[in-house]
């Protein structure tokens, strides 16, 4: 049975969105047989029902933050970690593998906002109409709504004003439009390798952001985008910052703490005690590994947009800043 036949039976959404992608990938992993077709149809129906609920089915591990700290502490000296407010990890599955990183990042950001300052969490709950993290299909609807409200007109045009029920990639600009349309203030900082010290620029920006301990300061996670992928930054590891600035090992000894949506929740699951090996394989990314020529980082201010600011965020280039 081919995917279009299953679609015709009403078990998946048309247009190549999350449900269709899930069933297509499942079908590619299984042998063809009558029994397999029945399994695909049954799973397709379950996925469709979950999708229509608007609620993300993944349940993040609330202890993951503690496990990360324990794993990082297994090195030769105490780690220097600066971390964001609690955020859940949402990773890829069969429905979005290969294209869903932006949506998974948006889910991780939303999970932190819903646990953030009461006024921010309440604003997001009001805009969403509920207190849970939306699934990918619902996020696509919300991004389309943001476009209709006038946010990110250029980005909407690049995606032909269509994102719902598709497998189109999104990045920081779409996430910016998403949260700005819900009056959650955020901004994007663009970085380019103008003078060759881009990794240190990224690290300095993230370190400053996560180490800001002013009373009432909301340190939400960041979303970092580069060519072909985006990830969520939950903190920095400054353990090796005492190295001589000219030491070639400096960029190997400092890094970002990353929730990578290219991994699944099963990929990062800890078997037994958290180890330094697990930490370096799944969370820690040394600055020496950041080799792209340009990056964009989306961050939150912890503020709610006023009516005037809300309208201003609709202007081309609003909320974008550049670091050379």
């Amino acid at each position: 049975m081919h995917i279009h036949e299953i679609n015709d039976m009403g078990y998946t959404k048309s247009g190549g969105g999350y449900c269709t992608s899930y069933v297509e990938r499942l079908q590619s992993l299984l042998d063809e047989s009558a029994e397999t077709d029945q399994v695909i149809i049954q799973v397709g129906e379950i996925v469709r029902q979950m999708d229509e609920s608007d609620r993300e089915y993944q349940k993040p591990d609330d202890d993951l933050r503690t496990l990360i700290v324990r794993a990082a502490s297994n090195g030769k000296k105490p780690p220097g970690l600066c971390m964001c407010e609690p955020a859940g990890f949402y990773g890829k599955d069969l429905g979005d593998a290969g294209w869903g990183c932006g949506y998974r990042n948006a889910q991780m950001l939303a999970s932190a906002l819903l646990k953030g300052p009461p006024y921010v969490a309440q604003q997001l709950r009001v805009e969403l109409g509920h207190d849970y993290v939306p699934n990918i299909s619902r996020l696509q609807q919300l991004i389309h709504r943001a476009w209709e409200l006038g946010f990110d007109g250029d980005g909407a045009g690049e995606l032909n004003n269509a994102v719902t029920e598709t497998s189109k990639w999104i990045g920081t600009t779409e996430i910016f439009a998403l949260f700005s349309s819900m009056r959650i203030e955020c901004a994007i900082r663009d970085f380019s390798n103008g003078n060759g010290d881009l990794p240190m620029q990224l690290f300095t920006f993230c370190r400053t952001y996560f180490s800001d301990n002013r009373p009432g300061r909301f340190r939400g996670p960041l979303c970092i985008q580069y060519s072909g992928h985006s990830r969520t930054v939950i903190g920095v590891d400054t353990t090796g910052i005492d190295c001589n600035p000219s030491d070639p090992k400096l960029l190997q000894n400092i890094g970002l703490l990353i929730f990578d949506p290219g991994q699944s929740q099963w990929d990062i699951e800890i078997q037994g005690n958290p180890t330094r090996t697990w930490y370096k394989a799944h969370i820690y990314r040394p600055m020496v590994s950041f080799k792209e020529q340009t990056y964009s980082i989306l961050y939150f201010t912890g503020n709610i947009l006023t009516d005037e600011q809300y309208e201003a965020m609709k202007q081309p280039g609003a909320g974008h800043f550049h670091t050379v």
Side-chain angles (χ1 to χ4, degrees):
M1 181 175 292
H2 297 290
I3 189 66
H4 68 82
E5 295 178 280
I6 297 174
N7 287 340
D8 290 343
M9 297 179 71
Y11 290 106
T12 65
K13 294 181 179 180
S14 62
Y18 176 83
C19 287
T20 298
S21 296
Y22 196 106
V23 174
E24 284 181 333
R25 193 172 294 270
L26 178 62
Q27 188 178 41
S28 71
L29 296 173
L30 300 176
D31 297 329
E32 290 189 15
S33 68
E35 292 79 7
T36 296
D37 291 342
Q38 289 302 313
V39 169
I40 292 174
I41 290 173
Q42 292 171 20
V43 172
E45 173 64 11
I46 293 172
V47 171
R48 182 184 66 79
Q49 291 177 6
M50 290 194 303
D51 196 54
E52 291 181 347
S53 74
D54 293 342
R55 184 171 192 158
E56 176 54 40
Y57 76 91
Q58 293 187 39
K59 305 296 183 184
D61 184 352
D62 291 336
D63 294 328
L64 186 55
R65 179 188 178 95
T66 301
L67 294 174
I68 290 171
V69 175
R70 286 177 57 192
S73 300
N74 288 328
K76 295 181 180 180
K77 60 180 180 178
L81 305 184
C82 297
M83 300 180 69
C84 70
E85 307 294 337
F89 173 74
Y90 294 84
K92 69 176 182 179
D93 66 13
L94 290 181
D96 65 280
W99 60 270
C101 58
Y103 303 101
R104 296 302 185 189
N105 288 318
Q107 290 178 327
M108 292 188 261
L109 301 179
S111 73
L113 291 169
L114 288 169
K115 298 176 182 177
Y119 59 93
V120 173
Q122 177 61 18
Q123 178 65 31
L124 186 57
R125 284 194 293 265
V126 169
E127 293 289 340
L128 291 174
H130 50 70
D131 62 354
Y132 52 81
V133 173
N135 61 25
I136 287 178
S137 295
R138 180 56 179 156
L139 286 173
Q140 291 181 328
Q141 295 170 3
L142 291 169
I143 291 171
H144 187 78
R145 170 181 173 271
W147 292 345
E148 291 181 327
L149 291 172
F151 292 91
D152 190 27
D154 292 341
E158 291 178 5
L159 294 177
N160 297 320
N161 294 285
V163 70
T164 57
E165 298 186 14
T166 74
S167 55
K168 294 179 180 179
W169 292 17
I170 64 166
T172 50
T173 55
E174 289 77 25
I175 297 174
F176 172 84
L178 169 70
F179 288 111
S180 294
S181 71
M182 294 188 283
R183 296 183 178 270
I184 307 296
E185 186 176 48
C186 53
I188 296 174
R189 175 74 65 175
D190 296 319
F191 297 82
S192 60
N193 201 17
N195 54 12
D197 67 344
L198 181 53
M200 277 306 300
Q201 290 182 31
L202 294 173
F203 181 80
T204 300
F205 176 86
C206 294
R207 184 189 187 191
T208 301
Y209 177 85
F210 288 120
S211 61
D212 187 346
N213 292 317
R214 288 175 295 173
R217 175 78 166 82
F218 173 62
R219 294 176 300 171
L222 308 172
C223 179
I224 185 168
Q225 178 185 341
Y226 51 95
S227 179
H229 196 34
S230 59
R231 301 183 286 183
T232 295
V233 184
I234 61 167
V236 296
D237 187 332
T238 66
T239 306
I241 198 63
D242 294 334
C243 293
N244 187 316
S246 62
D247 189 335
K249 294 183 179 180
L250 174 62
L251 296 181
Q252 184 66 46
N253 295 328
I254 58 175
L256 305 185
L257 308 184
I258 297 286
F259 277 173
D260 188 345
Q263 301 181 98
S264 70
Q265 289 192 332
W266 297 273
D267 290 331
I268 70 165
E269 184 177 3
I270 297 176
Q271 302 293 337
N273 294 323
T275 65
R276 183 80 176 171
T277 299
W278 172 87
Y279 172 72
K280 297 183 76 171
H282 297 289
I283 303 297
Y284 176 71
R285 295 294 179 266
M287 297 315 301
V288 72
S289 67
F290 290 83
K291 299 179 179 180
E292 300 293 333
Q293 293 299 304
T294 60
Y295 290 88
S296 293
I297 293 180
L298 179 140
Y299 60 96
F300 295 100
T301 67
N303 298 322
I304 304 299
L305 294 172
T306 65
D307 289 344
E308 182 178 354
Q309 292 170 330
Y310 181 81
E311 293 301 322
M313 289 301 103
K314 299 178 182 180
Q315 300 303 312
H320 287 247
F321 305 94
H322 186 68
T323 300
V324 178

